[in-house]
Amino acid sequence: MQGTVTMTTLSLRPAGQCNGSCLLAPATARQPRISWWRRQQRQTTLHRQQMQQCSVATLHNDKVDDRLGKNPCNFHPPIWGDFFLHYYDAAASSKQQQTWMVERADEVTQDVAKIVASSVAWDLHHRLQLIDALERLCWDHLFEDDINAALTQIRTVNLTSCDLHTVAMWFYLLRKHGHRVSPDVFVRFKDQEGSFLANNPVELLSLYNAAHLGIHGEIILDEAVVFTRTHLEAILPSLEGSLAHEIKCALEIPLPRRVRIYESKYYVSTFEKDVTVHDTVLQLAKLNSNIMQLHHQQELEIITRWWKGLEIESKLPFARDRVVECYFWMSGVYFEPCQSRGRIILTMMIAIIAIFDDIFDYYGTMEACELLTNCVERWDTKFGDGLQDCMKHALGKNFDSYEAMDHELARDEKYSMAYLKNFTIDLIRGYNKEVKMREEGYIPRTVNEHLQVSLRTGACHLLACASFVGMDDIATKDSFDWVSTMPKIVKDLCIILRLLDDLQSYEVMLISWVYALLAGAYEILKQYGYINALRFRVCVYYNHSSLILLKLYKVFYDYITNSNLCMQQEQLTPHVASTIKSYMKEHNVSIQIARKKIEELKEDTWKDFNHEWLNPDNGVPRQLLESIFNMTRTMEFMYNQDDNFTNCQNLKDTIHLLFVEPFAISF
């Protein structure tokens, strides 16, 4: 039984097996553990001295570069700032309360362990419900051995007498855990006309979610997706409450592709109204959620201090200040307390990636980007004498951060940093290629040609490697050799991100076009006296064409004054051509058709990804594949209908709920 709760303090060193809650150290005991922070302060001082030796010409360029004096892309300002620098001290002020929560969580964990053990005698439906509830509440890792044993046992169970909801749950949970069970279990739920015999919304929803774990050639699952989506969309307006919410979320992102930790607190509230979920399970969820929240707050304090040391706001004002959002993003890869070091390293990596992304996208000239790429390839700042100070600053801070990560690795783990550096060099080279493509206005002739560059510039291959760095002895040298070959599952992750980003950008582009058209029409109408200031007034000319023009302007005015359509400058900034444009060029089709085909390609790539997930011969530890699967899920979340990372206001409430708001528990 894996229900024991361990008591640990935060360190960037690995914390061992993920088997429970953690008791956080008081503020006075924490600072000595962050050895790399003080070292980085010294490195920062040395780096500043080096920067003072820059050439006069380069310094003059910075003085006249007004891009450093403003936010040229009109990015949303940072929401969190220094919030988490001191928030943990206030939230965790009572050491006595922390101790009580951990001890109480340990007791309740043992009680839930007994429930899990006794579930062997339950019927299939209720056993599946318990496993599903533990996973949605994000505490299944406490009972990992028991759940794996249960799934192995029920894999061969007779499903003849089970309803569609139970069979769909069985299929979903087994495939989610890597068991390649046959979709033929759904054949008996089809009628002679080919429709599925789903009697209610719950059965439709369960089948819909299960079918999204399909692979190529499983026609019955393809049919199930189309059938269930059509019917769920039709009945959604007539539903309300938690079922309506669940269906709406599934239609946006199917359950197998959603990030569990982002939704865990919602399910605690939902399950409180569900009599099928035991109260003891909910008690454990609340206790461990509060304890884990304190742990995450402490990590956020470390990350925020590191980020403040980079001086992004003053040195790189054109870049997105999103370090809390970075941490939130990477907590979706692994959230367990024992993965503290991995989360911090991953957060540092994606924050560094975002800085370089903004430099190449919005600041650097083609010549400067070439010089910056040369510095990264040589891994040395001394080759960057022609760079602006801000780019040198970013380069130096990047190298400092890699040294900090290297210091926190044990001697027999340091080899992994070479892989991380090689992936970083590969990413920067890709950024540089895209800058040249953008400046030349080059559109790749085919989608495949596009992906030769763009699947790498999404940085997912680098993040996949970085997710291994902090995972203790689970990731071996063989694991790093494997990920460095860009295996199929990592390539699929990269493609999924690229297509998601392009599809989201397509929606933004359409609105941008409408905005530009309407703004232009407004100016024309204003020039010819059809409007006065920002008011719509009836034209004195009563001919038919004038009335049509004025009515059209009324529509334009309504669009222009709608705050939801206000465009950020970033969305109008020239970017490298998307895969949608390459598809249009390759097949000589309209943008609407190209968008639909790219959407279909994304779904096909998900089937490829599922195939790799279900491949029993890959020989890679399941924990490493799980981190890659979770990373792919986070991409679906971040680029669902919007660029939620750039438009950080979209994430504010979810971050506040997950990292700030505790459950009320009587002490």
Side-chain angles (χ1 to χ4, degrees), residues 421-474:
K421 290 179 180 178
N422 287 336
F423 272 116
T424 303
I425 293 170
D426 183 68
L427 173 66
I428 298 302
R429 286 171 176 164
Y431 282 161
N432 196 38
K433 287 181 182 178
E434 286 195 337
V435 168
K436 295 175 181 177
M437 290 167 58
R438 182 191 69 209
E439 295 302 314
E440 295 169 2
Y442 178 69
I443 301 176
R445 292 168 294 178
T446 67
V447 173
N448 284 336
E449 181 191 348
H450 194 293
L451 291 174
Q452 292 300 314
V453 176
S454 62
L455 68 81
R456 294 178 179 274
T457 54
C460 287
H461 60 325
L462 170 56
L463 291 174
C465 176
S467 72
F468 290 7
V469 172
M471 292 190 73
D472 198 9
D473 55 358
I474 298 173

Side-chain angles (χ1 to χ4, degrees), residues 138-307:
C138 291
W139 291 106
D140 50 300
H141 62 277
L142 299 179
F143 317 101
E144 184 177 355
D145 290 344
D146 301 89
I147 290 174
N148 288 336
L151 291 172
T152 300
Q153 181 187 24
I154 66 178
R155 177 175 180 171
T156 56
V157 73
N158 188 341
L159 301 172
T160 305
S161 61
C162 297
D163 60 13
L164 178 55
H165 176 44
T166 302
V167 173
M169 273 203 303
W170 174 88
F171 184 88
Y172 161 73
L173 286 171
L174 283 169
R175 284 217 167 179
K176 184 182 176 213
H177 283 262
H179 298 271
R180 189 168 174 174
V181 290
S182 172
D184 291 344
V185 293
F186 296 113
V187 171
R188 69 182 179 91
F189 295 103
K190 294 191 69 177
D191 60 22
Q192 294 179 347
E193 287 74 32
S195 297
F196 287 85
L197 303 174
N199 298 318
N200 54 63
V202 173
E203 289 188 340
L204 283 169
L205 179 60
S206 298
L207 177 58
Y208 173 83
N209 285 324
H212 277 89
L213 284 168
I215 62 177
H216 288 286
E218 295 180 328
I219 298 174
I220 193 170
L221 296 183
D222 296 337
E223 295 172 342
V225 169
V226 175
F227 177 86
T228 52
R229 172 172 280 278
T230 301
H231 285 74
L232 288 171
E233 288 175 342
I235 65 175
L236 179 57
S238 63
L239 299 175
E240 57 184 19
S242 60
L243 179 58
H245 174 86
E246 192 66 31
I247 291 174
K248 180 178 181 296
C249 290
L251 290 173
E252 291 179 1
I253 303 177
L255 184 60
R257 303 177 189 176
R258 300 221 296 271
V259 185
R260 291 191 295 146
I261 191 62
Y262 298 167
E263 301 180 331
S264 59
K265 297 188 79 169
Y266 165 78
Y267 283 117
V268 172
S269 302
T270 300
F271 288 158
E272 283 184 314
K273 305 169 187 176
D274 188 347
V275 295
T276 62
V277 179
H278 202 287
D279 287 342
T280 307
V281 174
L282 295 176
Q283 288 181 42
L284 177 62
K286 290 180 180 180
L287 285 164
N288 276 337
S289 177
N290 284 2
I291 296 169
M292 186 166 65
Q293 185 180 84
L294 292 175
H295 193 98
H296 288 165
Q297 288 167 0
Q298 192 173 351
E299 292 174 16
L300 278 164
E301 180 182 343
I302 293 173
I303 284 294
T304 303
R305 289 189 185 281
W306 164 75
W307 183 253

Side-chain angles (χ1 to χ4, degrees), residues 110-129:
Q110 300 306 318
D111 294 337
V112 174
K114 294 175 183 177
I115 295 174
V116 174
S118 66
S119 68
V120 175
W122 297 0
D123 62 68
L124 178 62
H125 181 83
H126 287 96
R127 292 183 75 183
L128 294 170
Q129 272 192 329

Side-chain angles (χ1 to χ4, degrees), residues 420-537:
L420 211 55
K421 290 179 180 178
N422 287 336
F423 272 116
T424 303
I425 293 170
D426 183 68
L427 173 66
I428 298 302
R429 286 171 176 164
Y431 282 161
N432 196 38
K433 287 181 182 178
E434 286 195 337
V435 168
K436 295 175 181 177
M437 290 167 58
R438 182 191 69 209
E439 295 302 314
E440 295 169 2
Y442 178 69
I443 301 176
R445 292 168 294 178
T446 67
V447 173
N448 284 336
E449 181 191 348
H450 194 293
L451 291 174
Q452 292 300 314
V453 176
S454 62
L455 68 81
R456 294 178 179 274
T457 54
C460 287
H461 60 325
L462 170 56
L463 291 174
C465 176
S467 72
F468 290 7
V469 172
M471 292 190 73
D472 198 9
D473 55 358
I474 298 173
T476 63
K477 190 176 186 303
D478 288 342
S479 304
F480 285 96
D481 287 337
W482 173 79
V483 77
S484 67
T485 64
M486 187 72 88
K488 187 68 169 64
I489 195 168
V490 175
K491 184 178 180 180
D492 292 338
L493 159 62
C494 295
I495 294 174
I496 288 170
L497 169 63
R498 172 51 50 211
L499 302 182
L500 280 167
D501 191 10
D502 287 352
L503 288 166
Q504 177 274 136
S505 298
Y506 165 84
E507 306 297 340
V508 169
M509 178 181 63
L510 286 184
I511 297 176
S512 299
W513 285 355
V514 171
Y515 177 83
L517 174 64
L518 301 183
Y522 166 81
E523 291 300 328
I524 292 173
L525 290 168
K526 185 177 179 181
Q527 178 181 352
Y528 284 94
Y530 285 105
I531 58 173
N532 181 16
L534 290 176
R535 298 180 58 189
F536 171 76
R537 61 185 178 85

